[in-house]
Amino acid sequence: MGKRSRQRQKNQNAGRDDRDSNAGWGAGYADIVKENKLFEHYYKEQGLVPEGEFEEFMEAMREPLPATIRITGYKRYPDEQAWHTNMSRKIIRKSPLLEKFHQFLISETESGNISRQEAVSMIPPLLLKIEPHHKILDMCAAPGSKTAQLIEMLHSDMEVPFPEGFVIANDVDNKRCYLLVHQAKRLNSPCIMVVNHDASCIPTLQINSDGRKDILFYDRILCDVPCSGDGTMRKNIDVWKKWTTSNSLHLHGLQLRIAVRGVEQLAVGGRMVYSTCSLNPIEDEAVIAALLEKSEGSLELADASADLPGLKWMPGVTSWKLMTKEGQWYSDWSEVPKSRHTQIRPTMFPPKDPEKVANLHLQRCMRILPHHQNTGGFFVAVLVKKAPMPWNKRYPKVVLTSTRIPLDASSLLPEGTPEEVEEDGPGGKTEVEAEHEVPPGDSQEAGGKQDSVCGPPPSKKLRLFGYKEDPFVFLTEDDPVFNTIQSFYDLSPSFPKLNVLTRTHEGKKRHLYMVSKELRNVLQNNSERMKVINTGVKVWSRNSDGAEFGCAFRLAQEGIYTLQPYIRSRIISVSVEDIKVLLTQENPFLSKLEDNAHAQAKQLGMGSIVLKYIPNPNNPSEPQCAIQLCGWRGKTSIRAFVPRNERYHYLRMLGVEVFRDREGSGQKKRDGEKEGKEEEEVAVENEAELENGAENESSEPTTACSNKETKS
């Protein structure tokens, strides 16, 4: 049996090899048929697509989605910060001709300099009109591309290491929260906190304001809810065969509950953007209309038509119909038989009173159709809060207790809030690359939860303390750890020691992190009601050899831009050529540095250092942005402690080739090398390791070439 099985496997592999070698890089398994008659019938009847454009709409839906990237907005790049190609992600990933470009995208994404994000996904954060002092809640944040955009906007002024505002990014799925952490960590911000709650009953938080407890209301809220995702058919091919009208019926109630919870936590005068990547009015206008009716004038749909000039969009509709998966149409709640009242709810239908419809201004909603600008499909609405919600006219009672507070909406919501929160939370979004997924229909129809679709609500209630996370422990100003750090780095008196935290109550502190004072306020006043997954940016790491040189903690590259304004010693000014040496040689002698940097280094003792490049405006051929690197001054040598992909980024800026092709050729010589030696090539390592978010900081940085062939 074993011999026969091995022979069968050998034959199968041989066939696969023949197929791959004969078909070329663009081939693969048979494509999913991009047809769904129910989908076409449903959207023809709804009339969302302008007359005469439906065939063009469907043709665009069948075309692969162009790859788009966004340049990190606060790193002083040109204003044109979003770019797209006419090639799909698959072509970029598979084509040998585009290998170097693909590796560039991976490396720059990992180092936080670009984000690979769908074009329409960039719209909601732009409509929020973020300012650095805003307190922001991202309710359904994973996988985190929009969250990254919010962080960038918060840090629009790079000269301010601690903006007054912050982002609290939430997701119901614990595993996806760690994907969210990975996205946020690329930006090295002290103003981001990742939490794990059901968005429909996310707890009300408290802050200390002028010595008294107050309720935290957010200036901006992004409510990008789980949806059926039929606007993503161009990239999520499975939606073609799984789409059914029951998807929207299952999600409408959850979407409305999340939106209601969002506006409850929104400050008066604040803005909330509601968005989906679905074109279905049941998930879009129906939710907005129900929310506006519930608000009784406390909310208003904002006119955002002038906020994004050049964007092509269709105004929201004021009438729509509902269809079951069997093809039965309903235009009004009165037509729905009682047997379907558990699946179909009154809020799914448009209001019938013409005056009431006119006052809602649903035409201010924005629907983006794929064929208008070669994008995915999307829906977005901007809401402004004019007054407290009618069930929330009084401030919530503040619970002052040292006991643990359960995750129970009734104990945390404002007094008088309707108890619409169900015990079960929503299903999490499970696919890494998809912003939203398709929920399954009935269990008999969908065959249970699939990897690429939203699941039904979890069967168990979320438990606030049923997870394993290290604690967040803030240091005191007189903590002994500061004694050597203060003197070794000559910290400025303005350094906010109280904003430094560690992740352990006992034993040696391995890493020290920093958060803004506003996030510290949130953490200290809500530790018993909030499930925090991650916060803070790493600024120091314990070095076992450091103590003998004066300080047991070395600087961490992640936090250097946050920390450097407070450091007044251990700084070496370096030139472009110095940076080339430091980033291409593992442990160069001090004599490899140019005279100025060499002289500075000789004046310093062994230990952690800052390597600082200041641009020269009189020499435009050199980089015109400041560069700060963490390093180590050894006895006779010097080295940079910089993550691999960040090295590649800086070397590209300096015109140094950093990749091998598949044949391993392409070595470059360094410009201005004193001794005429060839510089070391820097190679991108296994792509799978990069895309899986492997740790990319080494305690022993090296740029030695990898001999592994990059997988694509």
Side-chain angles (χ1 to χ4, degrees):
M1 289 298 292
K3 182 177 180 180
R4 189 177 301 129
S5 297
R6 286 194 298 271
Q7 184 63 40
R8 183 166 60 247
Q9 183 177 5
K10 183 178 179 180
N11 293 339
Q12 290 172 347
N13 291 338
R16 185 179 299 114
D17 293 341
D18 291 342
R19 181 199 68 211
D20 291 344
S21 60
N22 294 331
W25 61 266
Y29 293 100
D31 289 335
I32 293 175
V33 178
K34 297 177 182 179
E35 296 286 344
N36 188 309
K37 296 300 182 184
L38 186 65
F39 174 86
E40 293 189 42
H41 175 59
Y42 180 79
Y43 279 108
K44 275 184 180 178
E45 287 292 320
Q46 294 289 12
L48 302 178
V49 180
E51 189 174 352
E53 296 183 14
F54 195 81
E55 290 305 316
E56 186 183 356
F57 164 75
M58 290 303 302
E59 287 176 10
M61 293 291 276
R62 295 186 180 99
E63 289 294 318
L65 186 69
T68 51
I69 63 172
R70 179 175 49 77
I71 298 171
T72 300
Y74 62 81
K75 295 197 173 180
R76 296 188 177 178
Y77 291 95
D79 291 333
E80 295 176 340
Q81 293 172 347
W83 298 77
H84 81 96
T85 73
N86 289 324
M87 298 173 290
S88 69
R89 293 182 66 171
K90 180 179 179 181
I91 291 176
I92 294 174
R93 185 170 64 248
K94 296 291 186 181
S95 170
L97 296 175
L98 298 172
E99 181 187 11
K100 186 175 291 188
F101 178 56
H102 184 220
Q103 297 290 358
F104 162 81
L105 293 178
I106 294 172
S107 176
E108 293 295 332
T109 299
E110 285 297 307
S111 61
N113 295 297
I114 67 172
S115 293
R116 289 186 284 175
Q117 180 181 2
E118 187 178 345
V120 291
S121 172
M122 304 176 194
I123 294 173
L126 294 174
L127 294 177
L128 278 172
K129 298 184 177 181
I130 302 296
E131 296 181 18
H133 64 275
H134 283 155
K135 297 181 285 291
I136 307 163
L137 173 64
D138 190 350
M139 300 189 74
C140 308
S145 58
K146 297 182 187 69
T147 307
Q149 208 173 341
L150 297 174
I151 297 171
E152 293 170 27
M153 294 175 173
L154 208 59
H155 287 273
S156 58
D157 185 355
M158 276 289 285
E159 302 300 323
V160 180
F162 293 103
E164 292 182 16
F166 55 78
V167 177
I168 294 180
N170 173 72
D171 202 83
V172 68
D173 189 304
N174 184 265
K175 291 181 179 179
R176 285 171 63 86
C177 280
Y178 292 96
L179 175 63
L180 182 56
V181 169
H182 177 71
Q183 279 273 30
K185 273 186 172 294
R186 298 181 305 121
L187 301 178
N188 300 326
S189 170
C191 304
I192 170 70
M193 179 191 296
V194 176
V195 299
N196 179 203
H197 290 283
D198 176 351
S200 66
C201 53
I202 189 169
T204 299
L205 302 184
Q206 302 170 10
I207 53 175
N208 193 311
S209 179
D210 297 325
R212 63 182 180 86
K213 297 284 186 179
D214 207 348
I215 298 300
L216 172 60
F217 289 104
Y218 300 93
D219 302 298
R220 299 290 187 266
I221 293 179
L222 177 56
C223 185
D224 184 54
V225 296
C227 67
S228 62
D230 56 22
T232 70
M233 283 180 164
R234 300 183 68 178
K235 68 174 182 179
N236 295 329
I237 310 301
D238 282 354
V239 179
W240 282 97
K241 62 181 181 180
K242 295 176 180 177
W243 189 92
T244 173
T245 55
S246 59
N247 296 342
S248 58
L249 304 184
H250 291 157
L251 285 165
H252 170 88
L254 170 63
Q255 292 163 339
L256 180 56
R257 291 195 301 276
I258 293 174
V260 167
R261 190 66 185 126
V263 295
E264 286 174 347
Q265 302 221 7
L266 185 65
V268 174
R271 292 167 73 94
M272 184 177 91
V273 168
Y274 175 90
S275 62
T276 75
C277 50
S278 168
L279 301 175
N280 199 325
I282 309 302
E283 304 176 59
D284 298 339
E285 285 92 345
V287 173
I288 296 299
L291 185 61
L292 290 170
E293 287 195 85
K294 283 175 177 286
S295 76
E296 299 178 7
S298 296
L299 296 174
E300 179 182 86
L301 259 178
D303 183 357
S305 58
D307 292 342
L308 295 175
L311 178 67
K312 297 178 182 178
W313 52 277
M314 298 297 297
V317 296
T318 56
S319 64
W320 57 87
K321 297 184 291 184
L322 186 150
M323 186 176 77
T324 65
K325 63 181 179 181
E326 295 82 15
Q328 178 68 47
W329 288 94
Y330 300 107
S331 299
D332 186 75
W333 169 247
S334 61
E335 302 172 1
V336 181
K338 289 185 178 180
S339 60
R340 291 192 177 271
H341 280 189
T342 56
Q343 301 170 339
I344 301 173
R345 303 301 302 154
T347 54
M348 297 178 182
F349 294 93
K352 290 301 181 183
D353 184 347
E355 183 178 352
K356 181 181 291 186
V357 172
N359 290 334
L360 296 180
H361 301 294
L362 291 177
Q363 73 278 4
R364 293 178 178 174
C365 298
M366 308 167 78
R367 179 175 279 103
I368 291 92
L369 299 179
H371 65 293
H372 282 169
Q373 289 177 128
N374 196 17
T375 65
F378 207 72
F379 175 89
V380 63
V382 181
L383 295 154
V384 176
K385 189 171 182 179
K386 297 294 186 181
M389 304 309 291
W391 58 87
N392 189 19
K393 294 296 184 182
R394 296 188 301 276
Y395 282 114
K397 292 182 178 179
V398 176
V399 182
L400 300 175
T401 175
S402 59
T403 59
R404 292 179 173 176
I405 301 176
L407 184 61
D408 181 1
S410 62
S411 67
L412 297 174
L413 293 183
E415 184 177 278
T417 301
E419 294 187 8
E420 293 186 291
V421 180
E422 296 181 353
E423 178 176 305
D424 294 340
K429 297 177 276 185
T430 56
E431 180 161 331
V432 169
E433 292 187 356
E435 293 279 333
H436 306 275
E437 278 70 36
V438 184
D442 297 338
S443 57
Q444 295 87 351
E445 175 189 47
K449 183 176 181 180
Q450 304 296 320
D451 287 343
S452 60
V453 299
C454 288
S459 58
K460 293 183 179 179
K461 186 175 180 180
L462 287 172
R463 287 183 293 179
L464 187 57
F465 300 97
Y467 70 104
K468 295 180 180 179
E469 280 295 333
D470 292 331
F472 296 85
V473 183
F474 283 96
L475 305 187
T476 60
E477 287 189 312
D478 58 355
D479 192 292
V481 77
F482 286 126
N483 294 339
T484 56
I485 289 178
Q486 177 79 50
S487 58
F488 190 74
Y489 296 103
D490 189 18
L491 295 181
S492 165
S494 62
F495 177 72
K497 294 180 181 179
L498 293 177
N499 294 2
V500 179
L501 61 86
T502 185
R503 300 297 303 271
T504 179
H505 280 291
E506 300 174 353
K508 288 186 176 181
K509 303 173 178 66
R510 292 183 54 210
H511 304 292
L512 301 180
Y513 305 83
M514 288 192 74
V515 297
S516 64
K517 67 177 183 179
E518 288 77 15
L519 269 189
R520 178 178 179 271
N521 191 346
V522 174
L523 270 170
Q524 289 196 316
N525 287 285
N526 299 279
S527 60
E528 297 297 320
R529 62 167 50 82
M530 197 167 52
K531 184 177 175 182
V532 180
I533 300 298
N534 192 273
T535 191
V537 59
K538 188 196 300 180
V539 289
W540 281 293
S541 291
R542 181 176 289 276
N543 184 354
S544 56
D545 298 328
E548 62 182 285
F549 306 125
C551 183
F553 287 89
R554 68 170 179 86
L555 299 165
Q557 182 66 27
E558 299 99 303
I560 190 60
Y561 287 96
T562 298
L563 193 60
Q564 197 278 326
Y566 303 101
I567 297 177
R568 299 186 297 185
S569 69
R570 311 287 304 172
I571 301 172
I572 299 176
S573 296
V574 294
S575 67
V576 167
E577 292 305 316
D578 292 330
I579 295 177
K580 288 181 181 180
V581 169
L582 290 163
L583 296 184
T584 58
Q585 299 185 27
E586 181 177 351
N587 208 10
F589 288 112
L590 294 175
S591 58
K592 291 280 187 177
L593 299 177
E594 293 191 333
D595 293 343
N596 184 30
H598 186 197
Q600 296 175 65
K602 288 172 66 175
Q603 298 298 316
L604 297 178
M606 296 173 64
S608 188
I609 54 174
V610 178
L611 301 157
K612 188 171 184 178
Y613 164 76
I614 300 175
N616 180 4
N618 297 322
N619 189 354
S621 64
E622 294 183 346
Q624 292 301 299
C625 58
I627 298 175
Q628 300 181 49
L629 310 176
C630 290
W632 184 269
R633 200 283 202 203
K635 186 174 182 180
T636 60
S637 62
I638 192 168
R639 69 192 310 177
F641 283 91
V642 182
R644 182 179 63 244
N645 289 309
E646 200 164 338
R647 286 174 172 252
Y648 298 164
H649 170 72
Y650 290 130
L651 287 171
R652 284 191 201 98
M653 291 172 60
L654 304 178
V656 178
E657 178 63 54
V658 294
F659 293 128
R660 287 182 187 269
D661 56 25
R662 289 182 185 273
E663 287 73 32
S665 62
Q667 281 194 329
K668 304 287 183 181
K669 292 187 178 181
R670 184 188 317 160
D671 297 332
E673 175 63 66
K674 293 181 180 178
E675 300 183 19
K677 295 181 180 179
E678 289 186 348
E679 69 178 15
E680 298 182 39
E681 277 191 353
V682 183
V684 170
E685 297 184 2
N686 189 291
E687 175 187 343
E689 177 186 342
L690 290 173
E691 294 197 324
N692 288 334
E695 181 68 29
N696 65 356
E697 180 181 10
S698 170
S699 59
E700 296 184 359
T702 177
T703 55
C705 296
S706 168
N707 292 322
K708 298 178 183 177
E709 180 176 325
T710 301
K711 298 178 181 178
S712 56

